[in-house]
DNA sequence: TATGAATGAGGGTTCATTCAT
DNA sequence: AATGAATGAACCCTCATTCAT
């Protein structure tokens, strides 16, 4: 419905506006997933028209992908090398712990990935490919992180186990209203799973 | 004169039809979640009108809850006492293994719970309450299952870890196209997590 | 939705059931008119299925007409000769007052007629014909009621005025939550309109 | 190069379109009331999609209220001060007559108010509050109009009577296919009701 | 007498998208 | 950079009705 001409529409610079839109989308998609969120809602949160939002992001699907890219970009910027492992450096368990620690400060982000990871199990989900590739990459990274602790043929399964643990604990953490300390529980789990490494 | 031998009956009896509807819904909700599925799709799969489906289940929301109830009912019937633990009997690790084993034969079911569990993190999701309660119950059960293996103050955290592992491995299992043996990976994980119990 | 088999469905005799249905319908149609009422609502109020109601009344339209007939039948029975004026007897202002008095004890009934009278202004309303005929009859009756008080050529207009007054006051009476005495206001109005007659 | 001289413009400006929508709605609601009209019908009459109509008015309920506001706005504009009585000026019977006279030229408008006034007796009707307030205001105005003619304690009842008469006569006028002169009948009624004032 | 299954039509509303401005 | 008009498709749901039981 044509609304009253509202407060003098402040025009933003494109980059700024885009960031604002992606922020809003991250939060909303984190809550209700791809299928449950609407461009309308993003628009409302930004004080924009639906058409206004689309002007910046193109399409609902593109918005989703843009949002994932943006997250990756920001993460790479904020904690360089946390998820990457290009060089010859040998990441260890500390790396995994750092990851958990960082996530524990960003529940919103955790929500987003939880949501989309599960939703994208469906082959036609727009982020299906993204998360398939991501999981492969992450499993490989985790395997390298534990390479020093376990035998070669065990690295794969243990990486699986750690990834499962991480995701599962995060989900419980969210559902419980973050009523427990995520890092602490992670440490307990790792101590059990890789007892030799603790020392 | 006896009537024709009942041509391919169009009109079904209530229970039958309801089961058919719930089956279809389970599959679809498992793929796309509550937000992504439509009554229309269920109807199409059952050869019914949308109104026809609604005649049996009332509402989209009620369909979701009915579907969860139905699952519970069928599970309780098929493997009695798997999730329950009423009496004084002491469930152990075997119980957990049995659970994983059963799930490994029902990927569709696993999908459904994965999907809804995550989606229902959102407070206004129609199954939010259901999964909140369910997680509490399951954590309590798991804690009892490991009561014999670990100290009392450790039962809670370990239950968390096992639940996280179970969910996480299942998810990886689904995403990988079930390319690994779920029970095998579970055993490996448990062997690491509770080494003493292995024997 | 197929409901639980409820309390042992008491079967009623047809006439009884029909009366019950019409009673419910009178109340509901009185509130929301023909367009706003649904067979479903009537059914609910009678503890019947929609099909059950239709079994007794045939059709939504027929229900409406049946309901009007029933009202007329009951009125004729309860206060014989109130609206009729077949014989040579000369009805007077007392007759009109009796009418108002009776209505003042049956707000539900007043509601019904108010509602349908207005709704049926529309030519395609199922009760259009009914109320057209009714108004003619009533105007004729009213004219006879005031024949003794005013000149012949005035009887028509005065009948109009009295009918307008009656309907209008009743409507105000309903809207105000019956916060004034309908008969009293009627008397005041008549005293003004036909001053000579008062004595 | 100048563009073609604007082919029969499909896209309308907001105000224009809105007016068109409200006009259509007034007519339809006047015929069948709030419960009997559908947005679809309004859309069809405007050569728009349902979604198109909703784009301008928001909601079926909002359309109804917008329509009443619009009527008030137009009336206030066309015959300023007819229904208002802000200042110290003393309105008299002439004011009431002017009102009837105006209405007699706008049967459509009369229909609308007749319809909604009655329908909104129902407490949950979207215009219930509107007409409750309106009746209070109008009764107060009418009371002031006859303040010069009758004693103070009679003003209230007489206002009621006049309002009832006006509404009732209008309704008869509509049902009869406007077969009589509304103003003439009004004059007759007023002459009877307030004989002293005639002079 | 009454129900239960099923439908077809229509209800209002939401949504993503296009296009001109 | 952003809006506003408009659409087409989909959404869930309600309704009156039919038919077999």
């Amino acid at each position: 419905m044509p609304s009253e001409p509202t407060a003098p529409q402040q025009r933003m610079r494109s980059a700024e506006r885009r960031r604002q839109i992606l922020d809003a989308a991250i939060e909303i998609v984190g809550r209700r997933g791809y299928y449950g969120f609407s461009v309308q809602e993003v628009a409302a949160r930004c004080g924009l028209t639906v058409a206004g939002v689309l002007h910046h992001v193109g399409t609902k699907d593109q918005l989703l992908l843009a949002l994932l890219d943006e997250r990756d970009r920001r993460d790479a910027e904020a904690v360089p090398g946390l998820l990457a492992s290009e060089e010859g450096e040998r990441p260890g368990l500390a790396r995994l712990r750092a990851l958990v620690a960082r996530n524990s400060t960003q529940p919103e982000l955790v929500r987003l990935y939880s949501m989309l990871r599960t939703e994208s199990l469906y082959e036609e989900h727009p982020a299906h490919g993204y998360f398939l590739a991501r999981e492969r990459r992450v499993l490989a990274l985790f395997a390298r992180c534990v390479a020093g602790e376990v035998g070669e043929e065990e690295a794969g399964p243990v990486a699986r186990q750690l990834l499962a643990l991480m995701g599962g604990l995060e989900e419980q953490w969210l559902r419980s209203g973050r009523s427990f300390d995520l890092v602490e529980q992670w440490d307990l789990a790792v101590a059990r799973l890789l007892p030799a490494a603790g020392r």
Side-chain angles (χ1 to χ4, degrees), chain A residues 4-196:
Chain A
E4 312 274 307
T6 81
Q9 191 53 47
Q10 68 261 40
R11 295 224 165 179
M12 277 177 150
R13 252 170 294 100
S14 205
E16 215 174 332
R17 187 60 99 179
R18 199 181 152 84
R19 162 182 290 262
Q20 184 199 22
I21 289 173
L22 293 178
D23 276 343
I26 284 170
E27 216 264 315
I28 300 174
V29 176
R31 286 188 181 277
R32 285 205 290 285
Y34 171 73
Y35 295 117
F37 99 101
S38 74
V39 178
Q40 158 60 36
E41 205 177 342
V42 175
R45 199 112 33 128
C46 296
L48 276 181
T49 315
V50 171
V53 171
L54 259 16
H55 171 68
H56 287 278
V57 298
T59 274
K60 193 191 173 184
D61 278 40
Q62 288 168 17
L63 170 50
L64 182 70
L65 297 176
L67 159 176
L68 288 167
D69 281 355
E70 175 71 3
R71 283 284 9 150
D72 286 345
R73 225 183 38 69
R74 284 193 215 169
D75 284 353
E77 195 172 282
V79 280
L82 196 53
L83 268 171
S85 59
E86 311 91 357
E87 328 108 60
E89 52 121 12
R90 284 248 146 246
L93 289 180
R95 174 71 81 79
L96 297 179
R97 190 175 197 275
L99 237 141
V100 173
R102 165 140 220 264
N103 285 347
S104 77
T105 67
Q106 309 220 41
E108 203 169 85
L109 179 54
V110 174
R111 250 182 119 115
L112 176 72
Y113 279 110
S114 262
M115 195 70 238
L116 289 181
R117 215 192 304 131
T118 313
E119 237 186 359
S120 69
L121 281 173
Y122 181 45
E123 301 76 19
E124 284 160 46
H125 189 282
H128 179 70
Y130 176 92
F131 279 99
L132 198 55
R134 186 188 178 89
E135 186 165 288
R136 271 203 210 101
R137 223 177 350 138
V138 171
L139 277 175
L141 170 66
F142 280 27
R144 264 206 309 289
C145 288
V146 297
E149 320 290 337
V150 301
E152 197 181 335
E153 80 287 2
E154 277 190 302
V158 172
R160 278 209 182 293
Q161 292 157 21
L162 287 167
L163 180 56
L165 260 172
M166 193 181 288
L169 287 179
E170 284 172 355
E171 203 183 297
Q172 288 176 38
W173 177 65
L174 289 176
R175 178 152 21 244
S176 75
R178 279 123 74 195
S179 70
F180 61 83
D181 185 314
L182 183 59
V183 180
E184 186 181 299
Q185 293 296 318
W186 172 259
D187 286 341
L188 286 177
V190 171
R192 284 207 152 268
L193 214 57
L194 299 165

